[in-house]
């Protein structure tokens, strides 16, 4: 539950006298807001009635809402500006976030902002963006995955629960708010930008930053400050069909995609001849504990994705190590996880007991949403000498497609299918990728019906696209 009230934040003149009453992290962010809005010292605020640190459901203590007059000369319309408080460390006493030093990120290192076009006659800001921001914050707190500029969020529903085409989000730096140094670390401001489904797909096929730049050039689609208009009825590709699509197509061809992996509903089966001993089985159990992704495997998958985002660097998969490690990256705070860390990595069998196995034949299974990304994986990643990882959201399975240009993979041209525990790697040659793209052309068709199966017998590879319910079964 949330409450709407004036913030009660002190104005510029009163700040020194009232500063001791304000938590230092909160006061630092208020200072940046006062810099932008000196005439709005007490904006309306949505506040969590029961704070998260007292057991409440909403991680954000506050969301402040300001009226921004825009800049008509720069084609920036009047809008409402929302700013969150709570993803960063507001208090510095470990009630929510662990203090890691003044030179490190404060809490998760960022706060969210959102700019919503003000409708004619609107005297007060709508409050639904505050709940949207709470939803994103809940995801961050529960998964401990942070956001970065250029990230996209698949929401699959109008952001304001209307009939709007704005159903997904991109994230970028707020154009006005500057990073602030607080007593508990640095805080940056990431702005939510509402986008249509077609724009989200373009961001996946190319990259979020490229689509954000296109949105900035179209005033009705966002303009220079990327203001969300929930009444926008056309995508940038409908507004300017030829120019925008040509720029995206050229970007995909030149840059490829910087999306190096997704959490997905997926599974794989070994169709090879059954192993002669149980220890080679993918379903191996030590005592009563089923095999799971080890800490080392988890770290490798995280590193795979991290390096996959570095477009200008040589694509490398970290080599398999036979030494036992705890899977922690000591360059980062151990309380924060990257997007593909296994939730069950604490319950594992020793890493050295899992042998890398070469498989003769494999069967890959995806739900429709995950399967629709296979052409992106092939065209935007593998044809550019990169890799792409699917990490199961219903288990410990991971599937990584690699090209011949990726070093350090345990799949090779001689043995293109290789497994390390439940992590499968598949190496595809450029020639085979081109063929698969032709055969999988109908994956994004609206007439697509489930289940659907694709097979390449001479390659001993089969791909099935199945209903979501299949992956909710205990067998997957």
């Amino acid at each position: 539950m949330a409450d709407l009230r004036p913030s009660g934040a002190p104005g510029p003149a009163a700040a020194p006298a009232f500063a001791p009453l304000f938590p230092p992290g909160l006061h630092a962010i208020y200072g940046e807001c006062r810099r932008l809005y000196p005439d709005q010292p007490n904006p309306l605020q949505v506040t969590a009635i029961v704070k998260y640190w007292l057991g409440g459901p909403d991680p954000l203590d506050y969301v402040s809402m300001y009226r921004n007059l825009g800049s008509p000369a720069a084609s920036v319309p009047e809008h409402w500006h929302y700013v969150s408080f709570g993803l960063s460390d507001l208090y510095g006493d470990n009630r929510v976030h662990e203090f890691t030093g003044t030179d490190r990120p404060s809490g998760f290192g960022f706060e969210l902002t959102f700019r919503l076009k003000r409708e004619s006659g609107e005297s007060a800001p709508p409050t639904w963006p505050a709940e949207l921001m709470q939803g994103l914050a809940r995801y961050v707190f529960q998964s401990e995955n942070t956001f970065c500029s250029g990230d996209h969020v698949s929401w699959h529903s109008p952001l304001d629960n209307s009939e709007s085409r704005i159903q997904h989000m991109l994230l970028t730096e707020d154009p006005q708010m500057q990073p602030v140094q607080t007593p508990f670390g640095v805080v940056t401001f990431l702005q939510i930008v509402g986008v249509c489904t077609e724009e989200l797909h373009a961001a996946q096929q190319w990259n979020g930053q490229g689509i954000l730049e296109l949105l900035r050039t179209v005033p009705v689609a966002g303009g220079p400050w990327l203001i969300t208009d929930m009444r926008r009825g056309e995508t940038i590709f409908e507004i300017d069909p030829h120019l925008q699509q040509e720029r995206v197509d050229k970007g995909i061809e030149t840059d490829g995609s910087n999306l190096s992996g997704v959490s997905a509903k997926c599974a794989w089966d070994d169709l090879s001849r059954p192993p002669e001993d149980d220890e080679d089985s993918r379903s191996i159990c030590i005592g009563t504990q089923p095999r799971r992704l080890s800490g080392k495997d988890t770290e490798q998958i995280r590193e795979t994705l991290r390096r996959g985002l570095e477009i200008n660097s040589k694509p490398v998969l970290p080599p398999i190590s036979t030494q036992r490690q705890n899977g922690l990256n000591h360059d980062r705070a151990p309380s924060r996880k990257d997007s593909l860390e296994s939730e069950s990595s604490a319950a594992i069998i020793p890493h050295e007991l899992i042998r890398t196995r070469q498989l003769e034949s494999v069967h890959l299974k995806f739900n429709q949403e995950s399967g629709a990304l296979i052409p992106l994986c092939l065209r935007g990643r593998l044809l550019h000498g990169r890799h792409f990882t699917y990490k199961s959201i219903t288990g410990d399975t991971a599937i990584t497609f690699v090209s011949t240009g990726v070093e350090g993979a345990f799949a090779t041209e001689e043995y293109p299918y290789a497994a390390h525990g439940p992590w499968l790697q598949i190496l595809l040659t450029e020639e085979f990728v081109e063929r698969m793209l032709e055969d999988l052309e109908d994956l994004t068709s609206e007439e697509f019906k489930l289940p659907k199966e694709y097979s390449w017998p001479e390659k001993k590879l089969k791909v099935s696209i199945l209903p979501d319910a299949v992956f909710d079964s205990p067998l997957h």
Side-chain angles (χ1 to χ4, degrees):
M1 298 290 291
D3 187 23
L4 178 65
R5 60 177 177 78
S7 69
F18 280 82
L21 302 178
F22 272 69
L26 183 69
H27 187 72
I29 300 173
Y30 270 142
E32 177 62 11
C33 294
R34 286 194 299 268
R35 181 185 68 82
L36 288 182
Y37 302 105
D39 58 336
Q40 300 179 59
N42 297 299
L44 283 176
Q45 230 178 29
V46 174
T47 178
I49 294 177
V50 180
K51 298 295 187 285
Y52 190 73
W53 38 274
L54 292 175
D58 298 323
L60 301 177
D61 281 13
Y62 313 100
V63 175
S64 288
M65 301 176 287
Y66 296 91
R67 182 169 178 172
N68 191 304
L69 298 179
S71 174
S75 300
V76 177
E78 189 173 348
H79 59 278
W80 304 109
H81 191 193
Y82 300 76
V83 182
S84 78
F85 297 81
L87 285 161
S88 63
D89 190 354
L90 305 179
Y91 304 98
D93 56 8
N94 294 321
R95 73 178 71 178
V96 179
H97 299 282
E98 179 183 355
F99 175 65
T100 57
T102 58
D103 59 340
R104 301 290 299 275
S106 170
F108 287 103
F110 67 96
E111 293 290 352
L112 293 170
T113 73
F114 183 60
R115 294 175 185 267
L116 177 68
K117 183 180 178 182
R118 177 177 173 267
E119 299 296 339
S120 177
E122 218 169 34
S123 59
T127 59
W128 63 261
E131 180 52 38
L132 180 74
M133 296 166 88
Q134 289 283 15
L136 292 177
R138 280 191 285 270
Y139 165 78
V140 173
F141 272 81
Q142 291 167 9
S143 68
E144 296 188 348
N145 299 331
T146 59
F147 291 129
C148 298
S149 179
D151 281 354
H152 64 266
V153 178
S154 304
W155 199 251
H156 299 291
S157 177
L159 304 188
D160 60 352
N161 294 316
S162 67
E163 299 299 319
S164 174
R165 294 185 69 178
I166 308 299
Q167 301 187 10
H168 309 280
M169 292 166 271
L170 298 178
L171 291 159
T172 188
E173 298 93 348
D174 189 284
Q176 286 187 297
M177 301 193 74
Q178 301 298 316
V180 296
Q181 177 69 57
T182 81
F184 315 128
V186 179
V187 180
T188 60
F189 297 92
L190 284 179
Q191 180 176 316
I192 300 164
V193 182
V195 296
C196 303
T197 298
E198 295 84 349
E199 293 155 357
L200 172 80
H201 290 165
Q204 292 175 328
Q205 297 285 335
W206 182 18
N207 60 67
Q209 296 290 6
I211 299 304
L212 288 164
E213 288 305 315
L214 292 183
L215 291 168
R216 286 188 177 96
T217 66
V218 182
V220 297
W225 291 5
L226 293 169
I227 295 164
T228 299
D229 179 1
M230 294 303 298
R231 295 192 177 185
R232 175 160 67 97
E234 294 181 305
T235 71
I236 56 174
F237 308 108
E238 293 166 335
I239 295 170
D240 191 348
H242 301 294
L243 179 60
Q244 307 297 1
Q245 191 60 57
E246 285 177 5
R247 291 178 65 180
V248 172
D249 291 342
K250 184 177 180 180
I252 295 172
E253 181 181 353
T254 303
D255 305 329
S257 171
N258 70 352
L259 181 66
S260 58
V262 293
S263 295
K265 290 189 176 182
C266 63
W268 62 271
D269 289 330
D270 180 2
L271 300 183
S272 310
R273 184 177 60 184
E276 295 181 0
D277 61 274
D278 290 341
E279 287 190 358
D280 269 345
S281 171
R282 179 170 167 260
S283 59
I284 182 174
C285 292
I286 302 297
T288 59
Q289 176 60 55
R291 170 182 294 174
R292 294 180 175 179
L293 281 174
S294 71
K296 177 60 179 175
D297 290 331
T298 293
E299 177 59 24
Q300 287 182 269
I301 295 175
R302 292 192 301 179
E303 188 65 18
T304 294
L305 296 192
R306 190 179 304 124
R307 296 194 181 193
L309 292 174
E310 299 171 4
I311 294 177
N312 295 324
S313 65
K314 190 172 185 179
V316 174
L317 282 172
I320 287 288
S321 169
T322 57
Q323 298 178 355
R324 293 186 63 179
Q325 299 186 25
N326 61 12
L328 290 177
N329 182 346
H330 296 287
D331 293 331
R332 295 178 159 214
S335 62
R336 297 289 181 254
K337 297 185 296 183
D338 281 328
S339 59
L340 291 192
E341 182 167 353
S342 170
E343 294 293 338
S344 55
S345 60
I348 60 174
I349 66 175
H351 179 75
E352 62 268 26
L353 294 184
I354 303 179
R355 291 181 287 179
T356 300
R357 298 178 297 121
Q358 285 78 42
L359 313 180
E360 294 181 7
S361 178
V362 294
H363 181 192
L364 310 181
K365 303 174 184 179
F366 302 93
N367 73 337
Q368 186 168 7
E369 184 175 3
S370 302
L373 291 175
I374 297 177
L376 155 68
C377 159
L378 301 178
R379 180 179 294 108
R381 298 294 298 177
L382 269 67
L383 287 183
H384 290 265
R386 300 173 189 155
H387 46 76
F388 190 91
T389 296
Y390 287 93
K391 169 64 178 71
S392 172
I393 60 175
T394 58
D396 290 304
T397 300
I399 302 170
T400 297
F401 291 90
V402 298
S403 68
T404 53
V406 175
E407 296 180 355
F410 47 84
T412 65
E413 289 193 59
E414 184 179 3
Y415 299 105
Y417 313 132
H420 192 76
W423 183 12
L424 174 70
Q425 287 188 7
I426 299 178
L427 187 144
L428 302 175
T429 63
E430 183 174 339
E431 180 182 5
F432 189 25
V433 168
E434 295 283 7
R435 180 182 167 190
M436 289 180 69
L437 282 170
E438 293 181 6
D439 295 341
L440 298 171
E441 191 174 0
D442 64 338
L443 266 179
T444 55
S445 169
E446 294 183 0
E447 304 297 324
F448 191 85
K449 294 183 179 180
L450 301 179
K452 182 75 173 181
E453 184 172 293
Y454 304 89
S455 181
W456 298 270
E458 76 284 5
K459 297 291 186 180
K460 298 182 179 179
L461 175 64
K462 183 164 64 173
V463 174
S464 293
I465 313 299
L466 304 169
D468 283 12
V470 172
F471 298 90
D472 298 327
S473 164
L475 296 178
H476 292 288

